[in-house]
């Protein structure tokens, strides 16, 4: 509640001010809204109270997957890895990848966040789905 009040009362020009994340990244204050939303959705699943990645709205899943794969690319941990969302044109990673992870969007995001491999497949790994690179 306190954070919502602070966001509500933040002057327009302050949304562009830089804040430092726990990971040491400098981001505009406006980015903290997405960061909080992302954490709420992912940790709602972590509570293991019945919520699944399939309950997360598709736009949130898509943005989350873009963030995760972007972090991998920035760190170079996506070398040799491609992620393809079935029934979609979403493809991320190395176009010449030896390992290709495929599945529906909720399953791929679940895998990418390090929360299980159910529902995803992997080509180039003898059927074993590798652990996703760290993203945070």
């Amino acid at each position: 509640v306190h954070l919502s009040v602070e966001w509500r009362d933040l002057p327009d020009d302050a949304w562009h001010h830089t804040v430092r994340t726990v990971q040491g990244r400098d981001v505009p204050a406006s980015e903290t809204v997405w960061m909080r939303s992302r954490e709420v959705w992912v940790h709602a699943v972590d509570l293991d109270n019945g919520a699944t990645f399939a309950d997360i709205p598709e736009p949130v899943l898509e943005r989350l997957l873009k963030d995760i794969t972007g972090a991998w690319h920035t760190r170079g941990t996506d070398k040799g890895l491609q992620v393809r969302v079935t029934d979609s044109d979403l493809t991320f990673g190395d176009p010449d990848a030896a390992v290709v992870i495929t599945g529906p969007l909720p399953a791929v995001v679940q895998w990418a966040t390090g929360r299980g491999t159910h529902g995803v497949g992997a080509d180039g790994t003898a059927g074993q789905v590798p652990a996703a690179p760290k993203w945070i």
Side-chain angles (χ1 to χ4, degrees):
V1 170
H2 179 75
L3 181 58
S4 293
V5 170
E6 293 297 326
W7 280 335
R8 181 196 69 202
D9 296 342
L10 193 64
D12 288 344
D13 65 324
W15 285 102
H16 303 289
H17 291 182
T18 301
V19 296
R20 182 157 297 186
T21 69
V22 171
Q23 292 81 26
R25 291 186 317 118
D26 291 330
V27 300
S30 60
E31 183 70 12
T32 63
V33 177
W34 163 245
M35 292 168 66
R36 174 57 110 193
S37 297
R38 175 185 72 199
E39 294 300 311
V40 167
W41 282 109
V42 171
H43 294 308
V45 174
D46 290 344
L47 289 173
D48 198 23
N49 196 22
T52 69
F53 279 85
D55 296 315
I56 300 174
E58 189 171 309
V60 174
L61 290 171
E62 287 179 4
R63 182 161 180 194
L64 183 54
L65 187 57
K66 288 176 187 174
D67 282 2
I68 293 168
T69 57
W72 294 343
H73 182 73
T74 297
R75 293 185 194 116
T77 56
D78 65 344
K79 300 290 184 223
L81 176 64
Q82 187 177 86
V83 176
R84 290 187 197 151
V85 177
T86 55
D87 298 330
S88 167
D89 61 355
L90 293 176
T91 300
F92 302 95
D94 187 346
D96 300 317
V99 175
V100 179
I101 302 296
T102 59
L105 184 59
V108 169
V109 175
Q110 178 179 317
W111 169 82
T113 61
R115 288 164 171 81
T117 60
H118 181 74
V120 295
D123 295 334
T125 63
Q128 296 285 20
V129 178
K134 291 188 183 238
W135 63 288
I136 289 186

